[in-house]
Amino acid sequence: MVRAQTTNSASCSLENISSMSPADTFAWMISPVQPDTFIEQFWEKKPLHIVAARRNRFDGILPPSAIQSKLKTKDGLKYGGDINVAKCAEDGTQIMDNG
């Protein structure tokens, strides 16, 4: 496994992610690794662990309320049944949020 360390000087943030293109969003999510490098060296080849400079880097990117509203459609998935959401606690344990 390869570890990459992010910095606090990310070129974008969660506040403006909704206006970014899919390619820019992907680049932000895997930074500091460049998308081309990721595809060439890691995609379906070996794991990559990106250590964020800020532990809350992705907080709020997909809140449970947004998931629940999307899943409550007539043909949607069932939150807690078809899919689950998890987060890691400070000590590294996984906390499941099954609705």
Side-chain angles (χ1 to χ4, degrees):
M1 174 175 15
V2 176
R3 293 173 63 97
Q5 178 73 43
T6 64
T7 64
N8 284 321
S9 59
S11 60
C12 54
S13 66
L14 184 58
E15 290 76 33
N16 64 4
I17 198 168
S18 63
S19 63
M20 293 167 39
S21 71
D24 287 342
T25 302
F26 178 69
W28 173 73
M29 292 178 73
I30 65 166
S31 69
V33 177
Q34 296 297 314
D36 290 343
T37 301
F38 176 79
I39 298 299
E40 292 168 10
Q41 296 181 17
F42 297 99
W43 183 257
E44 297 186 345
K45 295 178 181 121
K46 60 184 173 183
L48 170 65
H49 179 204
I50 299 173
V51 180
R54 294 185 346 246
R55 289 191 57 85
N56 62 349
R57 180 178 181 190
F58 297 116
D59 283 3
I61 196 167
L62 190 59
S65 60
I67 297 169
Q68 289 171 347
S69 68
K70 295 292 184 187
L71 299 179
K72 289 182 179 178
T73 62
K74 181 179 178 184
D75 298 321
L77 298 172
K78 303 295 182 237
Y79 181 58
D82 297 317
I83 66 164
N84 293 311
V85 176
K87 65 179 179 177
C88 290
E90 291 290 327
D91 65 0
T93 58
Q94 190 177 53
I95 301 170
M96 297 301 294
D97 184 4
N98 296 331

